[in-house]
Amino acid sequence: MNLIILIGAPGSGKGTQSQLMSNSLDYPVICIGDIVRQEMNSKTELGKEMIRYIETGDLVPSDLINKIFLNKFNSLRSSKGLILDGFPRTVDQAVFLNEVINGLNIRLNIFFIDVPDEVLIKRLTYRSRADDKEEIIINRLNTYNLETKPLLTFYKHLLNTVNGNDTEKNVQSKLIACIN
Ligand code: AMP
């Protein structure tokens, strides 16, 4: 399986790029943020447990997220490729992912979509999701800097950095060109 991981700050275009890549490669996407929002909107027990984290812009605890990921991953195990949007988002999730894929025949493609902070803030301010209010945006960016950025060091030998401060189409072409 070709496993494609997209790492990037909120507003970096991960979601859009995952969808474009999914369309052109015909690989499914596991988007943890979407699953989290679905659980919240359907008011499941899990959704109720996660709501307070999303509302403040904090990450949901990894034990819950790892379970969600594993279920979804297991259901897509036979796919020839898979795109991960928003997982892993912490080093402990990356360690968990390594355990999950250990011994499986997997080719890893890990991308960092690099976008300057001021561009991220501008993009997030123009988006209209419930967790895009100013103080929540600031907390989500801080959370990203503290908890997700260390992944860049964790994956440094595998990381492809792509400049995300460009048109959707150009970013997509660069990503596709780097896949092996
Ligand atoms: P996203 O749509 O990817 O920005 O995700 C929305 C929210 O879902 C985040 O702000 C987190 O609260 C939660 N979330 C998504 N992915 C993860 C993850 N891998 N670990 C923890 N929380 C997550």
Side-chain angles (χ1 to χ4, degrees), residues 9-11 14 31-34 36-37 50 53-62 65-66 85-90 93 127 129 131 136 140 143:
K14 277 188 281 88
C31 175
I32 298 290
D34 281 352
V36 164
R37 278 184 286 276
M50 296 192 292
Y53 302 103
I54 289 116
E55 280 184 345
T56 52
D58 289 335
L59 291 182
V60 175
S62 289
I65 295 291
N66 287 347
D85 166 10
F87 186 88
R89 219 140 151 161
T90 63
Q93 290 175 12
R127 204 158 80 167
R129 239 167 58 180
D131 56 353
I136 304 177
R140 290 175 70 215
T143 302

Side-chain angles (χ1 to χ4, degrees), residues 164-180:
N165 191 14
D166 202 340
T167 62
E168 283 177 8
K169 202 164 161 257
N170 286 347
V171 175
Q172 181 63 196
S173 310
K174 287 184 277 186
L175 290 171
I176 296 281
C178 289
I179 292 175
N180 60 56

Side-chain angles (χ1 to χ4, degrees), residues 29-40:
V29 181
I30 298 182
C31 175
I32 298 290
D34 281 352
I35 300 173
V36 164
R37 278 184 286 276
Q38 276 159 19
E39 296 281 342
M40 258 172 45

Side-chain angles (χ1 to χ4, degrees), residues 9-10 57-59 89-92 117 138-153:
D58 289 335
L59 291 182
R89 219 140 151 161
T90 63
V91 169
D92 65 308
D117 280 358
I138 291 167
N139 191 33
R140 290 175 70 215
L141 288 174
N142 286 339
T143 302
Y144 166 78
N145 283 321
L146 279 173
E147 303 197 49
T148 305
K149 260 202 178 153
L151 277 181
L152 306 182
T153 311

